[in-house]
Amino acid sequence: MNPSGKGSMSTISTSSARKAGELVPDFPAGLRVLVVDDDPTCLMILEKMLCTCLYEVTKCNRAETALSLLREKKNGFDIVISDVHMPDMDGFKLLEHIGLEMDLPVIMMSADDGKNVVMKGVTHGACDYLIKPVRIEALKNIWQHVVRKRKNEWKDLEQSGSAEEGDRQQKQSADEADYSSSANEGSWKNSKKRRDEDEDAEERDDTSALKKPRVVWSVDLHQQFVAAVNQLGIDKAVPKKILELMNVPGLTRENVASHLQKYRLYLRRLSGVSQHQGSLNNSFISTQDATFGSISSLNGIDLQTLAAASQHPAQSLATLQAAGLGRSTAKAGVPMSIVDQRNLFSFENPRLRFGEGQQQHMNSNKTMNLLHGIPTTMEPKQLVNLHQSTQSLGSLNMRVSATTPQSSPLIMQMAQSQPRGQMLSESIASHVPRLPTAMAQPNVANSVLGRDGIADVSRGSVYNQIPQTSPMLSFPGNQTTEVPINSFPLGSTPGISNITPKSNFQDEVTSGMKGSGGFAPSYDIFNELHQQKSNDWELQNVGLAYDASQHVNPLQGNIDVSPSVLVHQGFPSTQQAGQNREANSIGKAMYSLGEGMDQTNLQNIGQNLNTLLVDNSVRVKTERVPDASSQSNLFPEHYGQEDLLSAFLKQQEGMGPAESEFDFDGYSLDNIPV
Amino acid sequence: MEVGQMQRQWVDYTKSLFLEGFLDSQFLQLQQLQDENNPDFVVEVVSLFFEDSERLLNDLTNSLDQQGIDYKKADAYVHQLKGSSSSIGAQRVKNCCIAFRNFCEQQNIDGCIRCLEQVKQEYCLVKNKLETLFGLERQIVAAGGSIPTMELSF
C-alpha cells in the first residue's frame, strides 16, 4: 500500500537518520501502531487490516496493558488506536494519559457515532474518530496523523531558518534516539518547510519586522529542561541557571524564560484542574512538551509565550474542534496563537505580556480585510452589543490586565489567526471574557468582535456580545463543566456557524469545496440562535468564505493545514446524530477534494461513501460506484458490478432504512466533484 | 458434486446472504483480507464472533432477568454486540442491536425483552447461514478447488 501522497515523503525520509530500528524507507509502511479494543472480533479484524496496510501492529485488549506497553517501550509506537468503551478503563481516560505521557496521536473508534461521544473524542484530544465497522480504507490513512504531528513540531524551525536554528535543528536531529515521534522528524523538515512557507506567509505579515528565530522544544530538550529545573528546585529555577545547567548551544535565556513560564503554568494546571480542563491541559501540555516554540516578539513584547502556548493549545484547540481530525493540524501558525491565547487565558495565565502597541495590529488591515463586508452586515444593534460587550470585556480584561497588561499582542495574534482561527474556534469561548481591553477598539474591534462576539464565551448568555479577536468558536467542549454544549449560543459563532450555515457556506465557496450543500442547517441547538443571529451568520459566512478561499487556494499543497481547517468545518456537522455522521464523512471527503484531492482523499471519500452506501442511500451508491472503481483496485469486478449492485439495492429497499438515525438524503453526494 | 458446481453453489449462496440482508459489505472486507497466507481468516474471525456473541447474549439475558434491571449494563452489552456484529458484517444482528439500544435508553422492559428475542433469533439465523457457507467452502477445498473471490465494487 503506497498512498500516492507519500511520494515526496519517501525520498525525504531516506535522507535523514531514523530512530534505530525504526527506519522505514517506504513510509508509511512500518508505522508502529498500537491497537486497543476489548472486543476480540474487532481486535482481530483491525490487526489484520493494519497488517495489510503494512503497518507494524501490536494489539492488546486492555487499556492498562496498553499503557504499560507504551511506558515500557518509550518511542516504541507511532500511533495508537483505541476503542471508546472498554471495561477496565474508559477510552477517553486512556487518551488523556497517552496525550500527557507520551504525546502520541490517538485515534478513537467506536460503534457509537453519537454526537456527544464524538465530541468527547475531540475535546479529549483524539486526532481522529472512526466509526465501527472500520474499513481498511480508513486505516490506510492514519499515517497522516503522525506526519501532521511531526510537521507541527518542526514548524517553527522551518520558519526561522537562521543558522542558529539550523544548528539547533541538527542537534535535535542528532538526538533522535530520545524522540518519541522523531523517526521522521528530520525527514519531514524539508517537505514541511515548503508547505509551511505558504502558511507562514500570512502569519509573517505583521511579524516579519521583528522575527526572531523560534526554538522548538523537542521532547529531548524539554527533558533536559525539566531535569535542570528539578535540580535547581522549582522555586529557585531561574532562566539563567537553567540555561547554564542545560548547556545547550544556541539556546537563549529568553527561550528558557518563556518555556519556564509555560512549564509553570502546566504544573499549576496539573495540580488543580478539573477533569475537563485536565484534558485540555493534556493536549496542551503534550504539545507543549513536544514543541515549545516561540513567536518572534512584537514590539518588544514577548510573544514567545503566546506562540509557544499557541503551538500547544493549537492541539488542544484542534482536539476541541469538531473536526477531530488532525489534532496537531491546529498547530498551523496562526490558529495556534488564538488557541494558545485561549488556553493561556483559560488558565488565568498572568504571564501574558502584550505590548499596548500591539493594538495597532488589531487595527491592521489584515483584520479588516478578514472582515471586510462583515461589519456592513452587522446591524447597528449588534454593533451596540459589541460595544457593550467590549466594555464588559474591558472590565473582565481588567482582571487579566491587572496582572499582565498586555493584550494587544494577543489581539494581534488573534486577528492574524482569524482566518484560520475561525475554523478552529471552540475552546476560545470560555476565554473570551478575558480578552484584553485592547479588544475594545471600536472600529476594528467591531468587525472583529462581530465575528467573535457571536461566540458566546460566557456560557451562552452573552450572545454576540463578547468581542473576540478571533472568530474562534467558544466550543464548550473545552470546559464542559462551564459551558454545557446545549447552552451554546454558539450557533452564531463562526465556529459553530461552520455547522449550521455550512450549507450557505458551501454555496458561496466555489473553490471546489462543494458537496456539503446538502447539509441541512437545522441543528436543534442552534435553531433559536439562528433566528436571532442571522446577521452573525452572514458575518460568519463571509468569514467562512473568506477563510475558505484563503485556505483552499494557497493550501492546495498543504495537506495538513487544509484538511484540518476544512475538516473542522465539516466536523461540526457530525454534532447531530446519524445524518451528520454520514454528512460529516462526506463533508470531510469533500473538503479533502476541495483541497486538491490526492489518492488518500479519494480513499477517504471512498470509505465514507461506502459507509453511506451500505446504509441505504441509493443515491450514494450511484455516486459511489465510479469512485470505487476508479480508486480501488481491491475490488476487481468479478461478480458483476451491476448484478451485486442491484442485489444490494433490492436488499436496501426491502429492508427499509436500517437505522432511523440515518436520515440521509444523499444530497451532498450529488455535489461531490468526483 | 463436481468442483465447478460447488463453486457456483457457493457463489449463489453468498449472493443470497447479501440479498437477504444477513451480510453486508463489511463481510466482503473480511474476505478481502483473506489470502494464501491466511486462508482461514474469515472462518477464524467469525468463530471468534460466535464465541463472543454467545457470551454476550448470555450476559444480556441474565441482566434482563433481574428484579432491578441495570439498563446501562444491558446497553453496554448490546453496544458491544453491535460493534462486533457490524465488524463482521452481520447486518441484521446489528440492526436489531440498534433497536435494542433505543429500548435500553428508554428503559422499556418489554421492548428490551422483545429485542433480545429478536437478536437471538437473528444471531442463530446468521450463524446457521455462515456455517453452511463454511461447509460449502470446506467441500470445495476438499475437492481440490478454490473458493471463488467475491468481489463487489461500490
Side-chain angles (χ1 to χ4, degrees), chain A residues 613 628 638-639 644 651 659, chain B residues 11 18 25 91 98 151-152 154:
Chain A
L613 173 66
H638 175 89
Y639 206 78
L644 287 165
Q651 169 190 342
E659 298 178 12
Chain B
V11 165
F18 283 103
S25 62
Q91 189 176 270
I98 293 170
E151 281 135 7
L152 265 180
F154 288 98

Side-chain angles (χ1 to χ4, degrees), chain A residues 540-575:
Chain A
Q540 291 154 8
N541 285 343
V542 173
L544 282 172
Y546 179 85
D547 287 353
S549 53
Q550 257 195 351
H551 288 293
V552 173
N553 295 326
L555 299 178
Q556 280 295 321
N558 298 339
I559 300 173
D560 40 11
V561 174
S562 305
S564 60
V565 165
L566 296 175
V567 167
H568 292 324
Q569 282 182 332
F571 191 88
S573 64
T574 53
Q575 298 304 315

Side-chain angles (χ1 to χ4, degrees), chain A residues 216-260:
Chain A
V216 170
W217 284 84
S218 64
V219 175
D220 184 44
L221 201 59
H222 179 68
Q223 281 174 0
Q224 278 183 280
F225 169 84
V226 174
V229 168
N230 290 338
Q231 197 175 333
L232 291 166
I234 185 69
D235 293 332
K236 289 205 160 57
V238 286
K240 187 153 184 285
K241 295 212 176 117
I242 298 172
L243 187 63
E244 282 168 18
L245 272 176
M246 285 177 71
N247 194 22
V248 173
L251 195 63
T252 69
R253 194 206 71 81
E254 208 173 18
N255 298 140
V256 175
S258 66
H259 191 74
L260 181 62

